[in-house]
């Protein structure tokens, strides 16, 4: 497989974080520019033109929140004492592309798993492995020329009763960081573009970030005693969509 870079003529805006006072950090559009060259995996050495994958979102750092006492606090990646017992925190600053995938699915897909609709923990290891094989099995093609150490991450999680949808029925995307604190999410396969009606998402995520997020979810379930069928939510507190 050879990696070739192509240029798209589509114009888009980039976003930069700006100070928002008590309302927190926001984003403002900056001067439009021509899209940078986007990496595309190409088989063989042909000269055919390849269109860059559509850009679905640019994400900027999230806002400050206030405690009940009124004093501002920046949420960290750990479970804070004042937060609900059923809330798993997975900040992008710590879990990278994995966290961005979860947040993108919550905002862009209709079921809003872990946000508008709680997830239910699946404690059966064999059942969760079957779920993972269904979504991230033979139909998933790694893209090592685009994502170093590429791996398949899924949302809803395999260890939830909502997981296990066959992978080819899921929205398949590539979350990528374009600058510190700023991410973009684009189609992984231009021949199978996202329809935004899918029940699940699977992402091309670097293996260390995928594993770290999975480990955090496991420790959350253990420390918070989230039992089989018990509902919980997922929050990525340090990013928001524009």
């Amino acid at each position: 497989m050879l990696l070739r870079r192509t240029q798209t003529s589509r114009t888009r805006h980039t976003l930069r974080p700006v100070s928002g006072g008590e309302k927190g950090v926001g984003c403002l559009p900056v001067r439009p520019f021509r899209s940078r060259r986007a990496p595309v995996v190409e088989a063989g050495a042909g000269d055919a033109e390849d269109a860059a994958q559509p850009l679905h979102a640019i994400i900027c750092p999230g806002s400050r929140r206030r405690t009940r006492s009124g004093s501002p606090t920046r949420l960290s990646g750990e479970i804070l004492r004042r937060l609900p017992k059923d809330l798993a925190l997975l900040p992008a600053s710590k879990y990278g592309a994995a966290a961005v995938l979860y947040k993108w699915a919550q905002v862009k897909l209709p079921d809003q798993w872990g946000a508008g609709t709680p997830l239910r923990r699946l404690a059966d290891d064999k059942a969760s492995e079957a779920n993972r094989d269904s979504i991230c099995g033979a139909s998933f093609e790694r893209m090592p020329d685009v994502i170093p150490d590429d791996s398949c991450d899924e949302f809803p999680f395999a260890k939830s009763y909502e997981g296990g949808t066959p992978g080819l029925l899921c929205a398949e995307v590539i979350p990528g960081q374009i600058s510190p604190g700023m991410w973009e999410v684009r189609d992984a396969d231009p021949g199978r573009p996202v329809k935004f009606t899918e029940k699940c998402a699977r992402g091309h995520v670097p293996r260390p970030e995928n594993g770290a997020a999975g480990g955090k979810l496991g420790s959350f379930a253990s420390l918070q005693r989230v039992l089989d069928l018990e509902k919980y939510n997922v929050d990525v507190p340090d990013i928001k969509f524009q």
Side-chain angles (χ1 to χ4, degrees):
M1 300 293 287
L2 299 177
L3 177 66
R4 186 163 70 84
R5 294 180 178 271
T6 60
Q7 182 91 22
T8 178
S9 61
R10 182 174 47 159
T11 301
R12 69 173 184 244
H13 287 78
T14 186
L15 301 176
R16 61 182 173 83
V18 296
S19 176
E22 290 189 357
K23 294 182 179 180
V25 177
C27 292
L28 287 179
V30 187
R31 179 169 55 91
F33 68 108
R34 295 290 181 183
S35 298
R36 298 176 302 170
R37 295 179 180 269
V40 177
V41 175
E42 180 186 80
D47 294 326
E49 290 292 327
D50 290 310
Q53 292 92 330
L55 181 73
H56 291 308
I58 295 180
I59 307 170
C60 291
S63 61
R64 288 178 176 267
R65 299 185 182 181
R66 291 182 176 273
T67 61
R68 291 180 181 177
S69 64
S71 59
T73 179
R74 183 166 293 280
L75 295 179
S76 69
E78 302 304 321
I79 299 172
L80 305 182
R81 293 180 182 177
R82 298 192 181 202
L83 292 179
K85 177 182 177 181
D86 66 342
L87 182 66
L89 289 180
L90 294 164
S93 59
K94 192 169 185 178
Y95 302 103
V100 172
L101 172 69
Y102 311 151
K103 186 72 169 186
W104 180 87
Q106 288 179 332
V107 172
K108 296 295 183 179
L109 300 185
D111 290 311
Q112 299 181 325
W113 296 119
T117 307
L119 294 168
R120 296 172 299 162
R121 182 177 181 241
L122 174 60
D124 189 311
D125 289 338
K126 289 185 178 180
S128 64
E129 282 299 319
N131 280 353
R132 180 158 181 82
D133 287 343
S134 178
I135 191 171
C136 283
S139 66
F140 182 79
E141 297 184 8
R142 290 179 172 80
M143 304 170 65
D145 291 332
V146 178
I147 306 296
D149 205 9
D150 188 18
S151 70
C152 177
D153 200 0
E154 78 287 341
F155 195 79
F157 304 122
K159 291 188 73 67
S160 72
Y161 280 90
E162 291 67 35
T165 301
L168 291 177
L169 299 180
C170 299
E172 187 165 346
V173 296
I174 302 174
Q177 189 169 23
I178 57 177
S179 66
M182 298 180 72
W183 296 78
E184 66 179 15
V185 178
R186 56 193 173 95
D187 286 331
D189 182 1
R192 192 168 63 87
V194 176
K195 298 178 180 178
F196 301 101
T197 58
E198 293 89 348
K199 297 290 186 180
C200 54
R202 69 178 183 182
H204 293 259
V205 173
R207 189 175 301 277
E209 296 170 13
N210 191 347
K216 177 62 178 182
L217 183 66
S219 65
F220 160 76
S222 176
L223 292 172
Q224 298 298 312
R225 300 182 183 276
V226 183
L227 305 177
D228 189 65
L229 280 171
E230 190 169 359
K231 297 177 180 179
Y232 66 95
N233 291 311
V234 176
D235 187 24
V236 181
D238 56 347
I239 57 175
K240 62 180 180 179
F241 281 84
Q242 296 293 319

